[in-house]
Amino acid sequence: ESVLMALAEAGGKEEEVPPGIATGFCSGLSRTAGTCGAVNGAIMGIGLYGGRLTPDESVDGCYGLVQEFLDTFENTFGSTNCKGLLGLDFRVPEAHVRFDEDNRVQECLEFSERAADTAWEVLLKAQLV
């Protein structure tokens, strides 16, 4: 949610995006060890500016932007998946305890900040913002 909203606000589109639209994407796709919520938010933010407006338009431009973002994020952190980034599987209750005890939220904040910055750079390079 935070990455999507940061990108929406940066481009003056916050009124167009209800934060709740991204809730299920947080915590590695609702704590299923999937794609990092910050990555998901960045992809949605890229789509906000570079996505198609009608079903008959090509997806290629947006896909290229997303692929560039994903490559950069993965090269920086080694993964785009929550489990790969944190080494925790949130489907297991003990992972929640470890996350809290080890103050791992700081890592998630770094992922979110870098995801938003990287997505914005991709959009700037493409001259979409």
Side-chain angles (χ1 to χ4, degrees):
E1 293 170 4
S2 60
V3 174
L4 172 61
M5 294 314 297
L7 292 169
E9 288 173 19
K13 292 189 173 206
E14 63 271 16
E15 297 295 323
E16 298 177 35
V17 183
I21 199 167
T23 300
F25 293 97
C26 300
S27 301
L29 292 175
S30 298
R31 298 182 179 145
T32 62
T35 305
C36 169
V39 170
N40 285 312
I43 292 169
M44 286 186 279
I46 289 169
L48 183 61
Y49 298 96
R52 61 189 180 169
L53 299 176
T54 63
D56 59 321
E57 290 181 48
S58 174
V59 297
D60 293 341
C62 186
Y63 284 12
L65 298 171
V66 170
Q67 289 166 5
E68 181 180 346
F69 164 78
L70 290 171
D71 288 345
T72 302
F73 190 92
E74 187 166 10
N75 286 336
T76 302
F77 294 110
S79 182
T80 58
N81 284 344
C82 185
K83 185 177 180 183
L85 293 165
L86 294 172
L88 298 171
D89 184 347
F90 288 112
R91 294 174 289 193
V92 179
E94 295 79 29
H96 300 270
V97 173
R98 275 193 52 212
F99 181 84
D100 291 337
E101 287 177 350
D102 296 344
N103 195 29
R104 303 292 296 275
V105 70
Q106 294 303 315
E107 291 172 70
C108 292
L109 293 173
E110 181 182 354
F111 300 144
S112 295
E113 183 177 334
R114 185 61 73 92
D117 289 347
T118 301
W120 193 252
E121 289 169 14
V122 167
L123 291 166
L124 281 172
K125 183 177 163 187
Q127 299 180 349
L128 293 170
V129 292

